[in-house]
Coordinates of all heavy atoms in Angstrom, one line a residue:
C264 N -38.7 71.4 78.5 CA -39.7 72.2 79.1 C -39.3 73.2 80.2 O -39.6 74.3 80.3 CB -40.9 71.4 79.6 SG -41.8 70.4 78.4
V265 N -38.3 72.7 81.1 CA -37.8 73.5 82.2 C -37.0 74.6 81.6 O -37.0 75.8 82.0 CB -37.0 72.6 83.1 CG1 -36.2 73.4 84.1 CG2 -38.0 71.7 83.9
I266 N -36.2 74.3 80.6 CA -35.3 75.3 79.9 C -36.1 76.4 79.3 O -35.9 77.5 79.4 CB -34.4 74.6 78.8 CG1 -33.4 73.8 79.5 CG2 -33.8 75.6 77.9 CD1 -32.5 72.9 78.6
D267 N -37.3 75.9 78.6 CA -38.1 76.9 78.0 C -38.8 77.8 79.0 O -38.9 79.0 78.9 CB -39.2 76.2 77.1 CG -40.0 77.2 76.2 OD1 -39.6 77.5 75.1 OD2 -41.1 77.6 76.7
Y268 N -39.3 77.1 80.0 CA -40.1 77.8 81.1 C -39.2 78.8 81.8 O -39.6 80.0 82.2 CB -40.7 76.9 82.1 CG -41.7 77.5 83.1 CD1 -43.0 77.6 82.9 CD2 -41.1 77.9 84.4 CE1 -43.8 78.2 83.9 CE2 -41.9 78.5 85.3 CZ -43.3 78.6 85.1 OH -44.1 79.2 86.1
S269 N -38.0 78.5 82.0 CA -37.0 79.4 82.8 C -36.5 80.5 81.9 O -35.9 81.4 82.4 CB -35.8 78.5 83.2 OG -36.2 77.5 84.0
G270 N -36.9 80.5 80.6 CA -36.4 81.6 79.7 C -35.0 81.4 79.2 O -34.4 82.4 78.6
L271 N -34.3 80.3 79.4 CA -33.0 80.1 79.0 C -32.9 79.9 77.5 O -31.9 80.3 76.9 CB -32.4 78.8 79.7 CG -32.2 78.9 81.2 CD1 -31.7 77.6 81.7 CD2 -31.4 80.1 81.7
F272 N -33.9 79.3 77.0 CA -34.1 79.2 75.5 C -35.5 79.0 75.1 O -36.3 78.4 75.8 CB -33.2 78.0 75.0 CG -33.1 77.9 73.5 CD1 -32.1 78.6 72.9 CD2 -34.0 77.2 72.7 CE1 -31.9 78.5 71.5 CE2 -33.8 77.1 71.4 CZ -32.8 77.8 70.8
D273 N -35.9 79.6 74.0 CA -37.3 79.6 73.6 C -37.5 78.5 72.5 O -37.0 78.7 71.4 CB -37.7 80.9 73.0 CG -39.2 81.0 72.6 OD1 -39.9 80.1 73.1 OD2 -39.5 81.9 71.9
F274 N -38.2 77.4 72.9 CA -38.5 76.4 71.9 C -39.9 76.6 71.4 O -40.8 76.8 72.2 CB -38.5 75.0 72.6 CG -37.1 74.6 73.0 CD1 -36.8 74.6 74.4 CD2 -36.1 74.1 72.2 CE1 -35.6 74.2 74.8 CE2 -35.0 73.7 72.5 CZ -34.6 73.8 73.9
E275 N -40.0 76.8 70.1 CA -41.3 77.2 69.5 C -42.4 76.2 69.7 O -43.6 76.6 69.8 CB -41.1 77.4 67.9 CG -40.3 78.6 67.6 CD -40.2 78.9 66.2 OE1 -40.8 78.1 65.4 OE2 -39.4 79.8 65.7
F276 N -42.0 74.9 69.9 CA -43.1 73.9 70.0 C -43.5 73.7 71.4 O -44.4 72.9 71.7 CB -42.6 72.6 69.4 CG -41.3 72.0 70.2 CD1 -41.3 71.3 71.3 CD2 -40.1 72.4 69.6 CE1 -40.2 70.8 71.9 CE2 -38.8 72.0 70.2 CZ -38.9 71.2 71.3
I277 N -43.0 74.5 72.4 CA -43.4 74.4 73.8 C -44.1 75.7 74.2 O -43.6 76.8 74.1 CB -42.2 74.2 74.8 CG1 -41.5 72.9 74.4 CG2 -42.7 74.2 76.2 CD1 -40.3 72.7 75.2
K278 N -45.4 75.6 74.5 CA -46.2 76.7 74.9 C -46.8 76.5 76.3 O -47.5 75.5 76.5 CB -47.4 76.9 74.0 CG -47.0 77.1 72.4 CD -46.1 78.4 72.3 CE -45.7 78.6 70.8 NZ -44.8 79.7 70.5
H279 N -46.4 77.4 77.2 CA -47.0 77.3 78.6 C -48.2 78.0 78.7 O -48.7 78.7 77.7 CB -45.9 77.8 79.6 CG -44.5 77.1 79.4 ND1 -44.3 75.9 79.7 CD2 -43.4 77.7 78.9 CE1 -43.1 75.6 79.4 NE2 -42.5 76.6 78.9
V280 N -48.9 78.0 79.9 CA -50.2 78.5 79.9 C -50.4 79.3 81.2 O -49.8 79.1 82.3 CB -51.2 77.3 80.0 CG1 -51.0 76.3 81.2 CG2 -52.7 77.7 80.0
S281 N -51.3 80.4 81.2 CA -51.6 81.2 82.3 C -53.1 80.7 82.7 O -54.0 80.9 82.0 CB -51.6 82.6 81.9 OG -52.1 83.4 83.0
D282 N -53.2 80.2 83.9 CA -54.4 79.6 84.3 C -55.1 80.5 85.4 O -54.4 81.1 86.2 CB -54.2 78.2 84.9 CG -54.3 77.0 83.9 OD1 -54.7 77.4 82.8 OD2 -54.0 76.0 84.3
R283 N -56.4 80.5 85.4 CA -57.1 81.2 86.4 C -57.0 80.3 87.7 O -57.1 79.1 87.8 CB -58.7 81.2 86.0 CG -59.5 81.9 87.1 CD -61.0 81.8 86.6 NE -61.9 82.3 87.6 CZ -62.5 81.6 88.7 NH1 -62.1 80.3 88.7 NH2 -63.2 82.0 89.5
D284 N -56.8 81.1 88.9 CA -56.6 80.5 90.1 C -57.4 81.1 91.2 O -56.9 81.5 92.3 CB -55.1 80.5 90.5 CG -54.7 79.6 91.7 OD1 -55.4 78.6 91.8 OD2 -53.8 79.9 92.6
G285 N -58.7 81.4 90.9 CA -59.5 81.9 91.9 C -59.7 83.4 91.8 O -59.2 84.1 90.8
V286 N -60.2 84.0 92.8 CA -60.5 85.5 92.9 C -59.9 86.0 94.2 O -60.1 85.4 95.2 CB -62.1 85.8 92.8 CG1 -62.3 87.2 92.8 CG2 -62.6 85.1 91.5
S287 N -59.4 87.2 94.0 CA -58.7 87.8 95.2 C -59.8 88.5 96.1 O -60.9 88.6 95.7 CB -57.7 88.9 94.8 OG -58.3 89.9 94.1
D288 N -59.5 89.0 97.3 CA -60.4 89.7 98.2 C -60.9 90.9 97.5 O -62.0 91.4 97.8 CB -59.7 90.1 99.5 CG -59.3 88.8 100.2 OD1 -59.9 87.7 100.0 OD2 -58.4 88.8 101.1
A289 N -60.1 91.5 96.6 CA -60.6 92.7 95.9 C -61.5 92.4 94.6 O -61.9 93.3 94.0 CB -59.4 93.6 95.5
G290 N -61.7 91.1 94.4 CA -62.6 90.7 93.3 C -61.9 90.5 92.1 O -62.5 90.4 91.0
E291 N -60.6 90.6 92.0 CA -59.8 90.4 90.8 C -59.4 89.0 90.6 O -59.1 88.2 91.5 CB -58.5 91.3 90.8 CG -58.8 92.8 91.0 CD -57.5 93.5 91.1 OE1 -56.5 92.9 91.2 OE2 -57.5 94.7 91.0
T292 N -59.4 88.6 89.3 CA -59.1 87.2 89.0 C -57.5 86.9 89.2 O -56.7 87.7 88.8 CB -59.4 86.9 87.5 OG1 -60.8 87.0 87.3 CG2 -59.0 85.5 87.1
I293 N -57.3 85.9 90.0 CA -55.8 85.5 90.2 C -55.4 84.5 89.1 O -56.1 83.5 88.8 CB -55.7 84.9 91.6 CG1 -56.2 85.8 92.7 CG2 -54.3 84.4 91.8 CD1 -56.2 85.2 94.1
R294 N -54.3 84.8 88.5 CA -53.8 83.9 87.5 C -52.4 83.4 87.9 O -51.6 84.1 88.6 CB -53.7 84.6 86.1 CG -55.0 85.3 85.7 CD -55.1 85.6 84.1 NE -55.2 84.3 83.4 CZ -56.3 83.7 83.1 NH1 -57.4 84.2 83.6 NH2 -56.3 82.6 82.4
V295 N -52.0 82.2 87.3 CA -50.7 81.6 87.6 C -50.2 81.1 86.3 O -50.9 80.4 85.5 CB -50.9 80.5 88.7 CG1 -51.8 79.4 88.2 CG2 -49.4 80.0 89.1
F296 N -48.9 81.3 86.2 CA -48.2 80.8 84.8 C -47.6 79.5 85.2 O -46.8 79.3 86.0 CB -47.1 81.8 84.5 CG -46.5 81.5 83.2 CD1 -47.3 81.6 82.1 CD2 -45.1 81.3 83.0 CE1 -46.8 81.3 80.7 CE2 -44.6 81.1 81.7 CZ -45.4 81.1 80.6
R297 N -48.1 78.4 84.4 CA -47.7 77.0 84.6 C -47.0 76.4 83.4 O -47.3 76.7 82.3 CB -49.1 76.3 84.9 CG -49.8 76.8 86.0 CD -51.2 76.1 86.2 NE -50.9 74.8 86.7 CZ -51.9 73.9 86.8 NH1 -53.1 74.2 86.4 NH2 -51.6 72.7 87.3
M298 N -46.1 75.5 83.7 CA -45.3 74.8 82.7 C -46.2 73.7 82.1 O -46.8 72.9 82.8 CB -44.0 74.3 83.3 CG -43.1 73.7 82.2 SD -41.6 73.0 83.0 CE -42.1 71.5 83.5
R299 N -46.1 73.7 80.8 CA -46.8 72.6 80.1 C -45.7 71.7 79.4 O -44.6 72.1 79.2 CB -47.7 73.1 79.0 CG -48.9 73.8 79.6 CD -50.0 73.9 78.6 NE -49.7 74.5 77.4 CZ -50.6 74.6 76.4 NH1 -51.9 74.3 76.5 NH2 -50.2 75.2 75.2
G300 N -46.1 70.5 78.9 CA -45.2 69.6 78.2 C -45.5 69.7 76.7 O -46.1 70.7 76.2
T301 N -45.0 68.7 76.0 CA -45.2 68.7 74.6 C -46.3 67.6 74.2 O -46.5 66.7 75.0 CB -43.9 68.4 73.8 OG1 -43.4 67.1 74.2 CG2 -42.8 69.5 74.1
G302 N -46.7 67.7 72.9 CA -47.7 66.7 72.4 C -48.9 66.4 73.3 O -49.7 67.3 73.7
I303 N -49.0 65.2 73.8 CA -50.1 64.7 74.6 C -50.0 65.1 76.0 O -50.9 64.8 76.9 CB -50.4 63.2 74.5 CG1 -49.1 62.5 74.9 CG2 -50.8 62.8 73.1 CD1 -49.2 60.9 74.8
F304 N -48.9 65.8 76.5 CA -48.7 66.2 77.9 C -48.8 67.7 78.1 O -48.1 68.3 78.8 CB -47.3 65.7 78.4 CG -47.2 64.2 78.3 CD1 -46.6 63.6 77.3 CD2 -47.9 63.4 79.3 CE1 -46.5 62.2 77.3 CE2 -47.7 62.1 79.3 CZ -47.1 61.5 78.3
Q305 N -49.7 68.3 77.3 CA -49.8 69.8 77.4 C -50.6 70.3 78.5 O -50.7 71.5 78.8 CB -50.4 70.3 76.1 CG -49.4 70.1 74.9 CD -49.8 70.9 73.7 OE1 -50.5 71.9 73.7 NE2 -49.3 70.6 72.5
D306 N -51.3 69.4 79.3 CA -51.9 69.8 80.5 C -50.9 69.8 81.7 O -50.3 68.7 81.9 CB -53.1 68.8 80.9 CG -53.9 69.2 82.0 OD1 -53.3 69.7 83.0 OD2 -55.1 69.1 82.0
P307 N -50.7 70.9 82.4 CA -49.7 70.9 83.5 C -49.9 69.8 84.6 O -49.0 69.2 85.1 CB -49.9 72.3 84.1 CG -50.4 73.1 83.1 CD -51.3 72.2 82.2
N308 N -51.2 69.5 84.8 CA -51.5 68.4 85.8 C -51.0 67.0 85.2 O -50.5 66.2 85.9 CB -53.0 68.4 86.1 CG -53.4 69.7 86.8 OD1 -52.8 70.1 87.8 ND2 -54.5 70.3 86.3
D309 N -51.3 66.9 83.9 CA -50.9 65.6 83.3 C -49.4 65.4 83.3 O -48.8 64.4 83.6 CB -51.5 65.6 81.8 CG -51.5 64.2 81.3 OD1 -51.3 63.3 81.9 OD2 -51.8 64.2 80.0
L310 N -48.7 66.6 83.0 CA -47.3 66.6 83.0 C -46.7 66.2 84.4 O -45.7 65.5 84.5 CB -46.7 67.9 82.5 CG -45.2 68.1 82.5 CD1 -44.6 67.1 81.4 CD2 -44.8 69.5 82.1

């Protein structure tokens, strides 16, 4: 997962996620790119 997230190699079975992380002072949605695991560990918090 770390290798895939870092862009060193693209594993097709690993898909990371862009999550909403609140709203900025300008009213724009803040998003953060988070690493996910495989199978039953696809929630970043679970991972």
Side-chain angles (χ1 to χ4, degrees):
C264 295
V265 168
I266 291 173
D267 186 89
Y268 185 91
S269 302
L271 298 177
F272 190 86
D273 183 18
F274 295 103
E275 292 184 3
F276 58 89
I277 300 177
K278 304 295 181 184
H279 306 292
V280 63
S281 176
D282 272 351
R283 178 181 174 275
D284 190 36
V286 180
S287 67
D288 295 337
E291 297 178 351
T292 299
I293 301 172
R294 306 199 70 84
V295 59
F296 191 56
R297 306 177 66 189
M298 187 180 83
R299 296 201 304 182
T301 63
I303 56 178
F304 298 101
Q305 293 194 20
D306 185 318
N308 298 311
D309 201 5
L310 181 62

